[in-house]
Amino acid sequence: MMDLHSKYPAISDLKAKARKRIPHFVWEYLDSATGLEATLHRNQAKMRDVLFKTSILHGEFTPDLTTQFLGRDYPLPFGIAPVGMSGLIWPGAEKSLAKAAVSLGIPYTISTVSTQLPEDMAPYIGDQGWFQLYPPRDPEIRADILTRAKAAGFHTLVMTVDVPVASRRERQTRGGLQQPPRLTPRLAMQAAVCPVWLNGIRQTGMPRMKLMDGYATDMKGSLPSTEHIGYLLRTSPDWSYVERLRNEWDGALIIKGVTNPEDAEALEKEGVDALWVTNHAGRQFDGSISTIEALPGVRGATKLPLIFDSGIEGGLDIMRALALGADFVMLGRAWHYALGAVGEKGPAHLADMLRRDMEANMGQIGTKTLADLKARVVPTHS
């Protein structure tokens, strides 16, 4: 792996390489946010404001990065977040990432709007499968999806609640992607200069949202890229929806999209198992506080385990999130940068890069375990 560390020592290096190998219209789908993208940049900027107190004379040690989350042991405190249309970003991405997750012993979360069916993923997810649900309006569809996910081996359900309506994502719209995806002459020209991506798509076929397509067989025509077929089937959930879902799913239930402490307190009373603190990486609303700013308030409002995402650019950022109250961290785009840059070897390289970064920084501040990070963070005053 050392050759990859020399060539791609940071996520930014993987991102730069992936941008050259992924067609522009797909890149705009993956990398864009909404509005002026202020929230996306705020996520990153506010992360850098979280500082640590250094400490010396601790002798030689290797930091322990193992953790436990929802009763399961993990060798690393991070996993793979859901990304819609993952197989469009890089051909075969869902299966590649699931296999990498099993090899690494970390969670892999597939999206409702992935390009693979739950049952297609059964041979690949091992015991690491999480299923992300965009809440269907029809209770029969919901019940069927839950049954299929459970039968395929997904043991943890993640309901996303911060996408009540389609966001505008102006940059993505300008990129020209349509739903379902198709190569117009303009987009075909962009694909032609990315031969590895194009050859992969020729082998897999043009990706579609297979699960949603199966429930919308009578719906025809194309939609804007921000209003895909899933929006015709799903609803904006309310509190009663959470209650029904809790009764229908007998595994771990995580609610994704929490930034308000009052919501966190209420969700704990609903009996959910964990909360996912995120502003959807700035892809839904451009007037949000950063996720790292929201994290301490949510932590103070609930005893539930917390997942964190948005704004992660390296191992140091994972440490920052853990220090401010997260129990686990998820990354989405970064895994796709790794696939786009390096292919099948990319996810393992990214994980090793993050591990090394965390070990180096924890050694610098004298923290031997993840639990020690809280004592090293510099208090902030709002």
Side-chain angles (χ1 to χ4, degrees):
M1 297 292 288
M2 285 305 299
D3 57 326
L4 290 181
H5 283 290
S6 298
K7 196 169 184 179
Y8 307 105
I11 290 177
S12 57
D13 300 299
L14 294 171
K15 179 178 178 179
K17 182 64 174 182
R19 185 168 190 171
K20 296 177 181 178
R21 286 161 49 94
I22 295 174
H24 177 72
F25 73 97
V26 179
W27 181 260
E28 295 296 86
Y29 168 72
L30 168 65
D31 199 57
S32 64
T34 194
L36 300 177
E37 302 194 338
T39 296
L40 182 151
H41 297 299
R42 191 178 302 113
N43 282 336
Q44 298 166 342
K46 292 299 182 180
M47 185 73 75
R48 299 182 191 117
D49 289 341
V50 180
L51 305 177
F52 290 93
K53 295 173 285 188
T54 56
S55 183
I56 60 174
L57 299 176
H58 292 276
E60 295 183 8
F61 68 91
T62 299
D64 181 5
L65 302 187
T66 62
T67 192
Q68 189 178 81
F69 189 77
L70 293 180
R72 294 172 181 264
D73 295 321
Y74 295 104
L76 297 164
F78 55 83
I80 303 174
V83 174
M85 293 295 288
S86 188
L88 174 68
I89 298 165
W90 196 254
E94 287 97 347
K95 293 177 181 178
S96 295
L97 291 175
K99 289 188 289 185
V102 171
S103 177
L104 294 165
I106 62 175
Y108 167 70
T109 318
I110 195 169
S111 172
T112 303
V113 291
S114 77
T115 66
Q116 299 292 329
L117 297 171
E119 43 269 38
D120 293 337
M121 298 299 296
Y124 303 96
I125 59 174
D127 194 37
Q128 302 300 340
W130 294 13
F131 186 88
Q132 177 271 334
L133 180 73
Y134 283 119
R137 181 180 297 105
D138 187 326
E140 292 185 2
I141 292 178
R142 180 178 69 237
D144 192 57
I145 290 175
L146 297 182
T147 298
R148 292 169 67 178
K150 179 69 75 172
F154 292 92
H155 55 71
T156 297
L157 184 67
V158 179
M159 184 172 81
T160 295
V161 297
D162 61 349
V163 187
V165 296
S167 64
R168 300 191 66 228
R169 298 185 195 173
E170 296 86 344
R171 187 174 139 202
Q172 177 181 317
T173 299
R174 295 185 199 105
L177 176 66
Q178 295 182 351
Q179 294 292 355
R182 60 188 181 90
L183 288 181
T184 64
R186 170 193 168 195
L187 304 188
M189 291 178 64
Q190 296 175 15
V193 299
C194 300
V196 177
W197 180 92
L198 184 57
N199 287 337
I201 291 298
R202 285 171 174 160
Q203 294 176 28
T204 63
M206 183 56 73
R208 299 176 66 92
M209 298 178 183
K210 290 183 180 179
L211 183 61
M212 291 293 94
D213 282 355
Y215 295 112
T217 54
D218 59 340
M219 297 177 184
K220 306 294 184 181
S222 62
L223 294 164
S225 64
T226 59
E227 297 182 16
H228 52 68
I229 195 71
Y231 280 96
L232 302 180
L233 296 171
R234 73 193 198 205
T235 186
S236 178
D238 57 16
W239 289 95
S240 64
Y241 198 105
V242 176
E243 182 180 4
R244 290 194 296 271
L245 192 63
R246 176 68 287 177
N247 291 332
E248 293 174 5
W249 180 260
D250 62 0
L253 174 61
I254 301 169
I255 302 299
K256 179 176 183 286
V258 181
T259 57
N260 188 325
E262 294 177 1
D263 292 334
E265 187 175 1
L267 284 165
E268 183 171 354
K269 294 177 181 177
E270 289 290 339
V272 305
D273 297 290
L275 305 180
W276 192 317
V277 183
T278 176
N279 58 24
H280 220 89
R283 289 170 70 81
Q284 285 301 119
F285 178 56
D286 204 27
S288 171
I289 64 170
S290 69
T291 308
I292 199 69
E293 289 177 291
L295 178 59
V298 176
R299 177 70 288 162
T302 180
K303 295 180 180 179
L304 289 175
L306 299 183
I307 299 172
F308 176 93
D309 78 24
S310 301
I312 299 292
E313 297 183 275
L316 179 56
D317 290 337
I318 294 174
M319 291 166 52
R320 286 165 163 151
L322 296 173
L324 291 188
D327 297 285
F328 208 78
V329 172
M330 290 293 220
L331 300 88
R333 289 181 173 116
W335 299 104
H336 292 78
Y337 297 153
L339 281 175
V342 187
E344 290 282 341
K345 296 180 180 180
H349 170 62
L350 172 60
D352 196 43
M353 175 204 305
L354 293 171
R355 177 186 63 79
R356 294 184 185 206
D357 196 24
M358 291 188 70
E359 289 178 346
N361 284 298
M362 289 175 69
Q364 192 67 38
I365 63 175
T367 49
K368 297 181 180 181
T369 70
L370 300 177
D372 296 335
L373 292 169
K374 295 178 177 65
R376 290 280 190 269
V377 73
V378 176
T380 57
H381 303 283
S382 56

